[in-house]
Amino acid sequence: MESVIDVKEMTVDNNPVIEKMAINDHEQVVFCQDQATGLKAIIAIHNTTLGPALGGTRMWMYNNELEALNDVLRLSRGMTFKASITGLNLGGGKAVIIGDSYTQKSEALFRRFGKFVESLSGKYITAEDVGISPQDMEYVKMETNHVSGLPVSLGGSGDPSPVTAYGVYMGMKAAAKEMFGSDSLGGKKVTVQGVGHVGETLVKHLSKEGAIITLADINVDRANVVAKNYGANVVDGNSVYDVDMDIYAPCALGSTLNDETISKLNCSIIAGAANNQLKDEVVHGKMLKDKGILYAPDFLINAGGLVNVYREVEHFSQERAMEITENIYNTTLAIFKTANEENITTHQAALEVAKRRIESVGRLKMSL
Ligand code: NAD
């Protein structure tokens, strides 16, 4: 009727899943199925050297299971490096529920998913992600305590987006310091793509500092409201890459840094909230470097939300979460220094630093 398949227990022969896991050294993948509730989910645990694997659950109508698997493997790996570079004692994990978030949700489905999370005994801690609401998480929480990022009304840390936006703002200021010699964004032309939960708060910070803001959102009404509130200009979604700007802030989707857009982009800095901005980490990181554009790595500067969620795990205050997030400024400057010294891309430098911490903590744990 129901099953938890730890693919580590399957035979390696004829099993492409394990081969896929080996590419980026994922520890464990759990496939979850329950006919009664219609649940089809995958939990991926990338690395738990630093601590339990924390990462949100995404509900999405994937075209097929392979697409869902690829997504959860990619996203969980990103969480490992985000936690590591931010100095958190967390590993990287993520879950995806395959289904339509408008029509296929039920209490039973989320409670069944909660039971699967519980079966991992805290090795994976879940949270909200795309397609999941606080109400859904309440159902998950009925079956497991390994849930974070809950609403304040349930004793949780609430919406992480303002903290994410603050970290992106800090990373952007560090990039300005590196590129222009001053971290002031006053008078700088900044284009924000996507003014949702994170983008709008970022616009608020930028407006306070006197930046000249252009914004775009496929939700035109939203774009107009935010622009009016903060004195910004609006362009349509397709014109974003042609705008005359100093700084491009992608705060909508991933993969917006690709062959086509990088050839168009005329800016000095890229610093935004979206995950996986580089379509190809190596190729497009290098293209930006060659073009003289300073890229503030996404997983480094958008970690504020994770810090906010982490405070539920470690029980520290909102003030402490803001302090850790403010330090993204210093970490970003340090990453630029490493990239310069080693003549590598900023993305590569951030990955190396994150990996080094995991390796050294891993060695420490082995020696204890
Ligand atoms: P959101 O859904 O609230 O906002 C995204 C906005 O982008 C929406 O207003 C949407 O209409 C707009 N958009 C979508 N496609 C667009 C396009 N092609 N052009 C212009 N606008 C477009 O999401 P959010 O919580 O603000 O997150 C923004 C990004 O940051 C996402 O990529 C998310 O994964 C990432 N992120 C968010 C957090 C967080 O704390 N919320 C943390 C880390 C990373």
Side-chain angles (χ1 to χ4, degrees):
M1 199 177 74
E2 59 194 41
S3 60
V4 178
I5 306 163
D6 180 345
V7 292
K8 270 194 167 165
E9 289 169 12
M10 292 172 155
T11 55
V12 177
D13 292 340
N14 305 321
N15 186 358
V17 177
I18 289 186
E19 282 167 31
K20 270 185 170 297
M21 289 171 69
I23 296 171
N24 286 303
D25 206 13
H26 280 77
E27 281 180 21
Q28 190 176 358
V29 175
V30 182
F31 292 87
C32 316
Q33 188 287 132
D34 180 49
Q35 273 192 27
T37 59
L39 177 72
K40 285 184 185 150
I42 311 174
I43 300 171
I45 295 172
H46 176 247
N47 188 293
T48 54
T49 306
L50 299 175
L54 194 153
T57 297
R58 177 168 290 196
M59 185 163 187
W60 195 256
M61 201 62 226
Y62 292 100
N63 288 318
N64 52 56
E65 287 168 19
L66 187 61
E67 199 179 283
L69 177 65
N70 285 338
D71 205 30
V72 79
L73 291 177
R74 182 179 62 95
L75 292 165
S76 56
R77 171 178 176 264
M79 294 307 293
T80 298
F81 299 130
K82 191 180 299 206
S84 173
I85 201 155
T86 315
L88 310 181
N89 289 326
L90 289 177
K94 204 88 182 181
V96 293
I97 296 178
I98 303 169
D100 186 334
S101 63
Y102 291 98
T103 59
Q104 284 176 265
K105 286 183 175 183
S106 67
E107 174 182 348
L109 180 136
F110 286 107
R111 291 185 69 158
R112 188 65 198 90
F113 177 69
K115 278 187 182 290
F116 281 108
V117 173
E118 179 64 16
S119 74
L120 289 165
S121 310
K123 189 173 179 186
Y124 169 64
I125 303 171
T126 195
E128 261 180 71
D129 198 81
V130 176
I132 301 288
S133 71
Q135 168 78 78
D136 304 332
M137 276 297 140
E138 274 185 50
Y139 293 138
V140 175
K141 171 93 173 123
M142 287 175 187
E143 304 297 338
T144 180
N145 281 325
H146 305 301
V147 179
S148 58
L150 291 167
V152 177
S153 59
L154 288 177
S157 56
D159 181 7
S161 309
V163 192
T164 302
Y166 186 61
V168 171
Y169 176 56
M170 288 295 112
M172 191 183 284
K173 283 177 82 64
K177 174 85 179 157
E178 177 77 8
M179 183 55 95
F180 308 126
S182 159
D183 66 14
S184 170
L185 298 172
K188 293 284 181 266
K189 289 174 276 182
V190 186
T191 300
V192 181
Q193 180 186 37
V195 285
H197 290 91
V198 180
E200 179 175 4
T201 310
L202 178 64
V203 166
K204 187 169 88 182
H205 290 300
L206 294 171
S207 152
K208 235 181 177 170
E209 210 181 318
I212 302 161
I213 307 161
T214 298
L215 59 85
D217 199 297
I218 47 166
N219 181 337
V220 178
D221 292 341
R222 185 161 181 92
N224 288 331
V225 169
V226 176
K228 189 159 174 266
N229 287 346
Y230 300 102
N233 307 308
V234 182
V235 290
D236 77 82
N238 298 326
S239 315
V240 167
Y241 308 104
D242 303 312
V243 173
D244 171 35
M245 57 180 134
D246 299 306
I247 302 170
Y248 164 51
C251 296
L253 312 161
S255 297
T256 62
L257 301 174
N258 51 52
D259 290 348
E260 196 192 332
T261 60
I262 294 174
S263 64
K264 285 190 192 171
L265 274 170
N266 186 14
C267 63
S268 303
I269 289 170
I270 297 172
N275 284 311
N276 305 108
Q277 290 167 28
L278 296 166
K279 186 164 184 200
D280 182 305
E281 290 176 13
V282 177
V283 174
H284 298 116
K286 174 90 171 37
M287 270 176 85
L288 292 175
K289 183 174 184 288
D290 292 346
K291 220 180 153 181
I293 297 176
L294 183 62
Y295 171 65
D298 48 11
F299 68 88
L300 160 60
I301 73 167
N302 75 11
L306 178 62
V307 174
N308 200 55
V309 167
Y310 178 60
R311 79 188 178 85
E312 273 176 55
V313 180
E314 290 290 328
H315 307 291
F316 59 76
S317 66
Q318 168 96 48
E319 289 69 34
R320 178 77 190 120
M322 291 309 268
E323 273 169 29
I324 298 173
T325 302
E326 192 161 307
N327 196 44
I328 287 176
Y329 179 93
N330 294 322
T331 313
T332 307
L333 281 179
I335 291 300
F336 292 151
K337 188 162 179 276
T338 305
N340 284 335
E341 284 170 0
E342 298 182 17
N343 192 26
I344 54 178
T345 69
T346 53
H347 185 83
Q348 208 180 335
L351 271 185
E352 304 268 317
V353 169
K355 282 182 184 169
R356 260 179 244 154
R357 176 167 178 246
I358 295 167
E359 278 162 19
S360 65
V361 173
R363 274 198 300 274
L364 177 75
K365 284 189 175 169
M366 294 275 281
S367 66
L368 291 176

